[in-house]
């Protein structure tokens, strides 16, 4: 047979007829059951790698994304485990520890400073009285009225500053005295009373980031605020995920007139500036929710009271507006997937539309869904901080990072750290979510890589 | 082309109409009447007020009247903040300042962002690229109020640099606009730079660039005349959302720097619950954004003849 083999040109596409003819020459042995050894040789040597494991492997190689993930884990620990460690509550007023800086002087240094700056000797009451006298004299010299409100303000100022002296003049004197005496800051904030308690052998947890003008510990507040911001980001992404993927897949799967109408609705929503609409809605929905809370007591009302009407309005807005981007992406994906044979096969077998969407279409655009949802988190956090900063976000006593920045504005020049700390945390959080989302996109869908 | 434009214009008008109707219905659905203020009023007074502002008629008629008036440029009058002053007048006095800051911010964002993107794309993988990528990712991760406040803390301390003031003072001229415009333009600038970089990378790898190089054209000419032209198309599409972003970002920047613009006034009207102002401003700004989107979309088709016009919108 060998010499009869037809000559075949190299690279010819002509099928090899001889081997095809041989397919028919089957003997009885060819129909014997396979032996154990033969069966085993069919089992692949390497365990098959699932979609997720493959993606994880690619993600792990992306250093930037892994660092971002590490930072995110740290932030989650900070927000959810941190409050268990810090003994102060986010709305706990620590009396006598108002307006602390995130640093302090030791008791001896404080005494030396007081001596050097001179004027602020004596007990607290004497200092308060002196400060009020001084302010009254100043006010009278300028021809202004010195009201009781002013007096109360100065009293609070002097007390809260722990006797280090208030006012710009004494600040300069303080700085000079510090330089002359060679006194340095000690890390973390303690009030004088707390320092005395430490002296007495008590253990006092420091105010690591200082306190605000009500004596609330900024570290504890930042932790709770980070928690609020994170929950909002993830919840918003979840809302967007559910609505966007459902709407997008239905629109893409149904096609035709249904698709056209659904897409016109998306177009209308898409061309609206979201922030504007959210501001509007929070102005309008807010009173409704407040009315609901007072009229309908119950678990839902309690929940709404905790989050506050503004925040509830914000969630409504996410549900109304933010899903359009997601739905467009899912629709585009579904449009290509629904042409595939397995979808036709499913339809031929009589599967309903809902089943095809649930079992065949959505699982096949899971990568896109995850990536879009992940990139939605930072934009939701961004938006929430923006709204809270404008005063239409979370309501007191709940704090978010944006509302902490807003609260810090009152004493911006004197206590800039109150703004810097939450602001930096927002930036780090959004940055890590962005970087991680980018990495996830590269890992889950390399085609999308920009 | 004409068919496309007509279709888009109809969509835009529809959108604005939807916004107007929705805002109107929302305004009316707020619990309590607009007259709920500090002073308690008698039934008689409320009835008089309702009649005066036309609130006693049925809702659909009120809506039609409102729409008719809105078409003629009458968006009602302020109820609280500047009592009885027409909303249209408030908008026309306050919007120019906001627009000025927005336009300056946009212009510098595009003028700086595009070259930076080109630079990064051309030096792909080198340190310039990495540096720009870090800076731009950081830039799009900072909310506007953070940038604005950091500028405020950094530049206007006790020894204020270059005489920059924390509170906006129009008499200072260009100096007064410096910080607001920087704060407003930083995010768009970084975004534009990232966008330009990625689309530049696409177009640099095209065949016609190789041809141009083979012909011996200078690098500058290749980049700016051949590659950039095509790379700019995504940037142009982004201009529409960018206008919306700058408008809304303006709310924060105006609040931070105490600029008496429309954005700050809008935010104030929300906390004051002065509904006619909220609604009027929303309709105005939304229409503005919708029209800008329309213009950008049409422009985009004009700039890139490859795009199929017959297929339309989506």
């Amino acid at each position: 047979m060998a010499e009869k083999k037809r000559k075949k040109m190299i690279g010819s596409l002509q099928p090899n007829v001889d081997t095809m003819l041989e397919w028919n020459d089957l003997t009885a042995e060819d129909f014997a059951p396979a032996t154990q050894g033969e069966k085993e040789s069919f089992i692949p040597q390497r365990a098959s790698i699932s979609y997720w494991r493959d993606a994880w492997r690619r993600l792990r190689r992306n250093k930037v994304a892994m660092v971002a993930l590490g930072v995110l884990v740290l932030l989650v620990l900070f927000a959810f485990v941190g409050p268990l460690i810090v003994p102060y509550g986010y709305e706990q007023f620590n009396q006598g520890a108002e307006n602390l800086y995130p640093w302090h002087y030791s008791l001896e240094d404080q005494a030396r400073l007081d001596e050097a700056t001179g004027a602020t000797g004596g007990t607290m009451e004497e200092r308060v009285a002196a400060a009020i006298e001084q302010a009254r004299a100043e006010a009278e010299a300028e021809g202004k009225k010195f009201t009781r409100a002013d007096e109360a303000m100065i009293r609070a100022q002097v007390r809260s500053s722990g006797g280090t002296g208030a006012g710009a003049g004494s600040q300069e004197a303080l700085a000079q005295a510090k330089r002359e005496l060679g006194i340095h800051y000690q890390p973390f904030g303690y009030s004088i009373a707390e320092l005395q308690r430490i002296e007495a052998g008590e253990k006092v947890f420091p105010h690591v980031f200082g306190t605000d003008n009500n004596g609330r510990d900024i570290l504890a507040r930042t932790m709770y605020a980070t928690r609020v911001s994170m929950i909002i980001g993830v919840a918003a992404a979840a809302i967007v995920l559910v609505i966007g993927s459902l709407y997008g897949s239905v629109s893409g799967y149904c096609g035709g007139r249904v698709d056209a109408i659904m897409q016109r609705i998306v177009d209308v929503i898409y061309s609206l500036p979201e922030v504007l609409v959210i501001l509007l809605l929070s102005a309008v929905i807010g009173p409704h929710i407040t009315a609901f809370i007072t009229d309908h007591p119950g678990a839902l009302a309690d929940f709404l009271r905790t989050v506050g009407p503004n925040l509830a309005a914000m969630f409504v807005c996410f549900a109304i507006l933010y899903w359009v981007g997601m739905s467009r992406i899912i629709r585009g994906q579904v449009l290509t997937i629904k042409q595939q044979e397995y979808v036709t096969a499913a339809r031929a077998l009589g599967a309903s539309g809902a089943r095809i969407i649930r079992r065949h279409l959505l699982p096949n655009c899971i990568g896109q869904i995850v990536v879009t949802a992940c990139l939605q988190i930072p934009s939701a956090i961004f938006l929430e901080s923006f709204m809270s900063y404008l005063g239409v976000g979370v309501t007191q006593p709940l704090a978010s990072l944006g509302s902490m920045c807003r609260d810090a504005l009152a004493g911006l020049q004197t206590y800039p750290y109150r703004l810097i700390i939450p602001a930096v945390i927002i930036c780090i959080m959004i940055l890590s979510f962005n970087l991680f989302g980018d990495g996830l996109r590269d890992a889950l869908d390399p085609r999308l890589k920009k | 082309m004409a068919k496309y434009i007509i279709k888009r214009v109809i969509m835009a008008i529809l959108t604005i109409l939807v916004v107007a109707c929705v805002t109107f219905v929302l305004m009316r659905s707020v619990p309590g009447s607009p007259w709920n203020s500090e002073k308690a009023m008698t039934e008689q007074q409320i009835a008089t007020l309702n009649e005066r502002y036309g609130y006693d008629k049925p809702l659909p008629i009120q809506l039609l009247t409102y729409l008719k008036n809105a078409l003629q440029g009458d968006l009602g009058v302020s109820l609280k903040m500047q009592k009885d002053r027409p909303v249209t007048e408030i908008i026309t006095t306050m919007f120019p300042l906001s627009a000025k800051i927005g336009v300056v911010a946009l212009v510098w964002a595009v003028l700086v962002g595009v070259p930076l993107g080109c630079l990064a794309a051309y030096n792909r993988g080198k340190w310039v690229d990495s540096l720009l990528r870090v800076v731009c990712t950081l830039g799009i991760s900072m909310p506007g109020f953070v940038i604005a406040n950091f500028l405020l803390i950094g530049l206007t301390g006790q020894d204020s640099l270059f005489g920059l003031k924390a509170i906006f003072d129009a008499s200072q001229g260009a100096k007064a606009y410096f910080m607001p415009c920087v704060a407003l333009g930083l995010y768009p600038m970084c975004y534009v730079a990232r966008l330009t970089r990625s689309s530049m990378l696409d177009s640099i790898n095209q065949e016609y660039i190789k041809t141009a190089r083979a012909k011996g054209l200078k690098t500058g000419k290749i980049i700016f005349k051949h590659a950039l032209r095509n790379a700019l198309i995504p940037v142009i599409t982004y201009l529409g959302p960018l206008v919306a972003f700058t408008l809304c970002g303006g709310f924060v920047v105006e609040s931070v720097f105490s600029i008496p613009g429309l954005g700050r006034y809008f935010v104030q009207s929300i906390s004051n619950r002065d509904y006619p102002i909220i609604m009027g401003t929303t309709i105005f700004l939304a229409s503005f954004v919708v029209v800008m989107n329309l213009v950008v979309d049409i422009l985009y088709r004009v700039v890139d003849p490859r795009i199929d016009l017959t297929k339309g919108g989506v």
Side-chain angles (χ1 to χ4, degrees), chain B residues 83-101:
Chain B
K83 204 159 169 36
D84 284 347
R85 194 173 169 205
V87 175
T88 333
E89 193 187 312
I90 296 177
I91 291 175
T92 44
T93 45
M94 295 200 161
F95 187 61
L97 188 57
S98 304
K100 209 179 199 175
I101 292 170

Side-chain angles (χ1 to χ4, degrees), chain A residues 102-133:
Chain A
W103 57 76
H104 71 285
Y105 307 109
S106 63
L107 273 177
E108 305 90 68
D109 286 349
Q110 186 66 57
R112 278 161 67 200
L113 273 177
D114 284 352
E115 212 172 291
T117 47
T120 51
T123 66
M124 181 71 85
E125 285 312 308
E126 282 168 9
R127 262 182 257 156
V128 171
I132 290 174
E133 266 319 304

